[in-house]
Amino acid sequence: QVQVVESGGNLVQPGGSLRLSCVTSGSILSILATGWYRQAPGKQRELVAAIVTDGSTNYADSVKGRFTISRDNVKNTAYLQMNSLKPEDTAVYYCNAQVTTTGGKGVLGYWGQGTQVTVSS
């Protein structure tokens, strides 16, 4: 009943920029939090950035000053603006949405399918 879809991943040169999008749809009452995660080959999935209901944000130390998370509540879309990209940013990026639904079953988390970001010359 809830779908999360990421887009915007691409091949980009070091120093370049990308903007990822995360669209959440379905029988949603509210989106309580959205997080962007990434997973590189051979490594565990890690939190990159998150935004909660009041607009507060947090970032991994490795991306502070370079990445910005934002949201558009009308469109149920979250964004990750990535600037000054480095080869070590290469990973599959996943969106996770923590939501309440019309079924009244409490807070549940939903994952998107991931989008590939490759930073290389």
Side-chain angles (χ1 to χ4, degrees):
Q1 295 296 314
V2 177
Q3 298 81 42
V4 179
V5 180
E6 308 99 328
S7 62
N10 211 336
L11 172 65
V12 64
Q13 294 183 335
S17 297
L18 284 174
R19 189 179 76 161
L20 307 183
S21 298
C22 172
V23 179
T24 303
S25 61
S27 302
I28 298 168
L29 286 175
S30 63
I31 302 175
L32 303 181
T34 302
W36 283 100
Y37 297 74
R38 67 186 181 189
Q39 187 167 20
K43 300 186 66 177
Q44 294 191 0
R45 189 172 300 185
E46 64 174 347
L47 177 66
V48 176
I51 186 167
V52 298
T53 304
D54 67 356
S56 298
T57 59
N58 66 85
Y59 298 91
D61 288 341
S62 60
V63 307
K64 286 181 179 177
R66 299 189 297 121
F67 291 10
T68 303
I69 188 171
S70 61
R71 67 188 179 195
D72 184 332
N73 290 330
V74 174
K75 298 180 179 180
N76 281 346
T77 302
Y79 304 95
L80 185 67
Q81 179 67 46
M82 305 186 295
N83 299 325
S84 301
L85 283 162
K86 305 174 181 179
E88 50 262 47
D89 295 318
T90 296
V92 178
Y93 284 71
Y94 297 90
C95 182
N96 177 271
Q98 299 287 319
V99 308
T100 58
T101 66
T102 56
K105 297 184 181 298
V107 182
L108 296 174
Y110 295 88
W111 289 98
Q113 82 289 345
T115 185
Q116 177 71 50
V117 173
T118 302
V119 185
S120 176
S121 299

